[in-house]
Amino acid sequence: MKKIAIIGGTGLTQLNGLQLISSEKIDTPYGLPSAELITGKLHNKHIVFLARHGNPHAIPPHSINYRANLWALKHLGVQSIIAVAAVGGITAAMAPACLALPDQIIDYTYGRKHTFFDDDTTPVTHIDFTAPYSSALRAQLIVAAAHANIQLVNTGTYGCTQGPRLETSAEIKRMERDGCDLVGMTGMPEAVLARELQLEYAALAVVANWGAGKTEGEITMTEIEHNLHAGMANALGVLEAFISSTE
């Protein structure tokens, strides 16, 4: 079977049930990853787990060393990555606590190290990014969700903002006009770096709140934490079904 990695976002700093085999601190050409890379067994399958924001959660989205994270996973022989992320919902189907499997992405970030091809030792390289997520991985996750009887919105566009602040209502309106269904802060450059390293990559998004202006009042951490608790339970159910069915 292909070696699988799970990148855990907000609300998923460790993978319960993972039988620890090793924990490695890997120094990469780009610096240190967010946390030690945990290798273990889940449903008798070897899995690598990485907490995107560190463990404990301490690294904001714009400060994550995405290049080190992806390089380290490739170094360990990972071939497929499922990236779990907390997001905001923009369109009607993306209600809080639901799971979504985006198939497109729009990048609104700036100033992030977004490529491995940026120095004098690498040739000018343009990768195809027409479909930013692996169709094969997405199909497997859709089947896994059905087997686990967990509802999954299996299409959508993820808009990636800079953070760490949440968006204004005007920004969310603009993103909806642009075609975004979800808003998050970590989808890029993670997805494109995975493509540059020829790694299969899919995002499993947990909707933690409505985007700014979609409801009355302010977005609160109490609301986010409540929805994350419910949504992450379903995300773990999908991951377990996916891993147990992987050959």
Side-chain angles (χ1 to χ4, degrees), residues 20-115:
L20 179 66
I21 295 174
S22 66
S23 178
E24 299 182 60
K25 185 177 182 179
I26 298 176
D27 192 4
T28 82
Y30 307 96
L32 291 173
S34 297
E36 292 187 350
L37 279 74
I38 308 300
T39 299
K41 292 182 76 173
L42 187 65
H43 295 290
N44 210 34
K45 309 288 175 58
H46 282 80
I47 302 295
V48 177
F49 180 79
L50 174 63
R52 183 189 288 115
H53 297 277
N55 188 12
H57 186 294
I59 308 171
H62 66 290
S63 297
I64 292 168
N65 192 337
Y66 294 96
R67 293 196 297 182
N69 287 351
L70 273 294
W71 190 96
L73 291 172
K74 176 80 171 184
H75 177 73
L76 287 184
V78 165
Q79 297 162 288
S80 301
I81 298 171
I82 300 172
V84 181
V87 299
I90 297 177
T91 51
M94 304 301 183
C98 85
L99 285 184
L101 194 65
D103 53 3
Q104 277 296 327
I105 195 164
I106 298 176
D107 188 8
Y108 298 95
T109 66
Y110 50 87
R112 300 185 181 189
K113 299 291 187 180
H114 61 275
T115 180

Side-chain angles (χ1 to χ4, degrees), residues 7-245:
I7 298 177
T10 301
L12 188 64
T13 56
Q14 57 186 357
L15 196 59
N16 293 333
L18 187 68
Q19 299 173 354
L20 179 66
I21 295 174
S22 66
S23 178
E24 299 182 60
K25 185 177 182 179
I26 298 176
D27 192 4
T28 82
Y30 307 96
L32 291 173
S34 297
E36 292 187 350
L37 279 74
I38 308 300
T39 299
K41 292 182 76 173
L42 187 65
H43 295 290
N44 210 34
K45 309 288 175 58
H46 282 80
I47 302 295
V48 177
F49 180 79
L50 174 63
R52 183 189 288 115
H53 297 277
N55 188 12
H57 186 294
I59 308 171
H62 66 290
S63 297
I64 292 168
N65 192 337
Y66 294 96
R67 293 196 297 182
N69 287 351
L70 273 294
W71 190 96
L73 291 172
K74 176 80 171 184
H75 177 73
L76 287 184
V78 165
Q79 297 162 288
S80 301
I81 298 171
I82 300 172
V84 181
V87 299
I90 297 177
T91 51
M94 304 301 183
C98 85
L99 285 184
L101 194 65
D103 53 3
Q104 277 296 327
I105 195 164
I106 298 176
D107 188 8
Y108 298 95
T109 66
Y110 50 87
R112 300 185 181 189
K113 299 291 187 180
H114 61 275
T115 180
F116 290 108
F117 305 117
D118 66 347
D119 58 43
D120 295 338
T121 66
T122 55
V124 176
T125 303
H126 304 286
I127 61 163
D128 179 77
F129 206 50
T130 305
Y133 301 106
S134 163
S135 59
L137 263 187
R138 293 185 70 261
Q140 289 175 277
L141 287 165
I142 290 168
V143 171
H147 285 169
N149 198 28
I150 294 173
Q151 189 171 359
L152 179 71
V153 182
N154 62 17
T155 187
T157 297
Y158 177 129
C160 188
T161 59
Q162 179 71 358
R165 67 167 178 85
L166 298 177
E167 300 71 35
T168 67
S169 58
E171 287 170 330
I172 292 296
K173 287 177 182 176
R174 180 191 67 166
M175 293 176 74
E176 187 167 12
R177 290 194 299 269
D178 287 349
C180 296
D181 300 285
L182 302 163
V183 55
M185 300 177 188
T186 59
M188 288 291 284
E190 200 171 83
V192 72
L193 292 172
R195 180 62 54 85
E196 287 187 351
L197 293 176
Q198 298 180 323
L199 300 173
E200 291 185 332
Y201 179 94
L204 187 59
V206 178
V207 181
N209 55 277
W210 283 115
K214 287 296 177 177
T215 57
E216 294 184 4
E218 295 182 353
I219 300 167
T220 67
M221 287 308 300
T222 301
E223 170 194 2
I224 289 173
E225 289 169 3
H226 173 77
N227 293 322
L228 272 181
H229 181 74
M232 281 298 174
N234 285 332
L236 288 170
V238 172
L239 289 174
E240 289 184 1
F242 168 78
I243 292 165
S244 63
S245 64

